[in-house]
């Protein structure tokens, strides 16, 4: 039986992340040794291992460690633990794929994480807008993504702030509430904005003939709200706050219409 197996050698510009498994006996016996083109030159201590359901029956555990050197395509790689060879998957050597996730998708606040593998990171939003973001927030929970590196993979951004320097994407437009996280051309995550209604408005004038005012959802400035008029708790009229008013648009309260006019019932 083999002492273990190298499943992936994920290459970055200056290092290689090694993922695989080894038997408990092999892990107790010593460090992991790598040979490149027949020359033994790298020894890696496996400090942390993790159980995995598919390995329990053979008494083995998974590991993910970092070699402080890149492995170039075409290099013949072999691995062993104290002389006991580890098999290596035929397709193990490959560039590290970028990974990421959107964890919060609010009407303005968007947060998540990304391991970009050296690629530029962008968010596409508002249909066609695209803006670069930085992932620089510490995420100790993701330390095993690239072992030995500072896990600064988190991000939290304001869409309102991103709009000030966003450009128009050449990619197909998204639905208005969809956000796309990319590293280079790789789509890492897609999420839909969760907009909690934030309704505000004002009843500005009431006469015997009509009630007039405005109403808007701050989280949907481009939408219109349904309104209803109640007198002493009784509903007398319904309508839509969709009439245009320049001062509300100028203040950024709405993108188009927000004014309503409701006819008051005639008294007997």
């Amino acid at each position: 039986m083999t002492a273990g197996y190298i499943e992936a050698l994920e290459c970055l510009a200056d290092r290689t992340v090694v993922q695989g498994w080894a038997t408990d006996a092999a892990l107790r016996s010593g460090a992991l040794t790598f040979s490149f083109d027949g020359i033994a030159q790298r020894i890696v201590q496996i400090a942390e291992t993790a159980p995995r359901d598919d390995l329990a029956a053979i008494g083995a555990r998974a590991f993910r460690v970092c070699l402080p050197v890149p492995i170039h395509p075409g290099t013949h790689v072999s691995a062993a633990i104290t002389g006991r060879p580890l098999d290596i998957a035929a397709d193990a050597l490959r560039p590290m794929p970028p990974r990421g996730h959107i964890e919060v998708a609010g009407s303005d606040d968007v947060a998540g994480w990304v391991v970009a593998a050296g690629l530029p990171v962008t968010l596409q939003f508002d249909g066609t807008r695209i803006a670069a973001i930085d992932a620089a927030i510490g995420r100790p929970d993701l330390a095993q993504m690239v072992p030995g590196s500072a896990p600064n993979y988190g991000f939290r951004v304001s869409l309102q702030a991103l709009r000030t320097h966003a450009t128009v994407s050449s990619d197909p437009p998204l639905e208005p509430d969809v956000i796309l996280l990319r590293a280079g051309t790789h789509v890492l995550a897609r999420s839909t904005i969760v907009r909690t209604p934030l309704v505000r408005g004002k009843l500005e004038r009431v006469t015997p003939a009509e009630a007039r005012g405005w109403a808007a959802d701050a989280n949907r400035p481009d939408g219109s709200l349904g309104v209803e008029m109640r007198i002493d708790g009784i509903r007398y009229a319904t309508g839509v706050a969709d009439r245009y008013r320049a001062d509300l648009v100028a203040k950024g309260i709405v993108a188009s219409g927000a004014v309503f006019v409701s006819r008051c019932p005639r008294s007997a």
Side-chain angles (χ1 to χ4, degrees), residues 10 19 64 96-101 113-117 145 181 183 188:
E10 297 182 338
Q19 178 175 303
R64 189 173 172 88
M96 172 177 275
R99 300 176 174 93
H101 184 58
W113 61 268
V114 58
V115 181
M145 285 288 184
L181 173 66
L188 305 182

Side-chain angles (χ1 to χ4, degrees), residues 7-202:
E7 299 167 320
L9 297 164
E10 297 182 338
C11 301
L12 295 166
D14 60 348
R15 67 196 69 192
T16 303
V17 177
V18 182
Q19 178 175 303
W21 58 266
T23 62
D24 292 338
L27 290 168
R28 286 192 299 267
S29 65
L32 180 62
T33 302
F34 280 90
S35 297
F36 305 143
D37 292 330
I39 303 173
Q41 53 182 301
R42 290 291 169 184
I43 297 176
V44 182
Q45 296 292 336
I46 301 176
E48 295 184 25
T49 61
R52 216 167 72 185
D53 290 344
D54 61 320
L55 302 175
I58 59 174
R61 294 174 67 86
F63 62 82
R64 189 173 172 88
V65 295
C66 193
L67 280 172
V69 294
I71 302 177
H72 301 292
T75 302
H76 180 267
V77 182
S78 60
I81 295 182
T82 56
R84 301 178 64 186
L86 276 64
D87 293 334
I88 300 178
D91 61 348
L93 186 60
R94 55 182 180 262
M96 172 177 275
R99 300 176 174 93
H101 184 58
I102 298 172
E103 297 170 319
V104 175
S107 57
D108 184 57
D109 189 41
V110 178
W113 61 268
V114 58
V115 181
L119 299 171
V121 181
T122 58
L123 280 180
Q124 183 177 342
F125 58 99
D126 288 353
T128 59
R129 285 181 170 150
I130 190 166
I133 63 170
D134 292 322
I137 300 174
R139 290 291 299 263
D141 57 317
L142 302 173
Q144 283 302 105
M145 285 288 184
V146 183
S149 298
N152 297 328
Y153 309 133
F155 67 85
R156 182 176 291 275
V157 295
S158 160
L159 292 182
Q160 189 63 36
L162 290 183
R163 288 185 181 103
T164 64
H165 63 269
T167 58
V168 177
S169 173
S170 60
D171 294 298
L174 306 173
E175 295 87 346
D177 282 350
V178 170
I179 300 174
L180 220 57
L181 173 66
R182 288 191 180 93
T185 60
H186 301 268
V187 175
L188 305 182
R190 178 187 180 99
S191 187
T192 301
I193 294 175
V194 178
R195 296 186 186 270
T196 303
L198 185 59
V199 177
R200 53 181 174 165
K202 187 176 182 181

Side-chain angles (χ1 to χ4, degrees), residues 213-215 223-227 239-245 256-261:
W214 64 269
S224 56
L225 289 177
V227 295
V240 178
D242 60 355
R243 298 191 183 188
Y244 179 82
R245 205 168 84 184
S256 54
V259 173
F260 64 86
V261 177

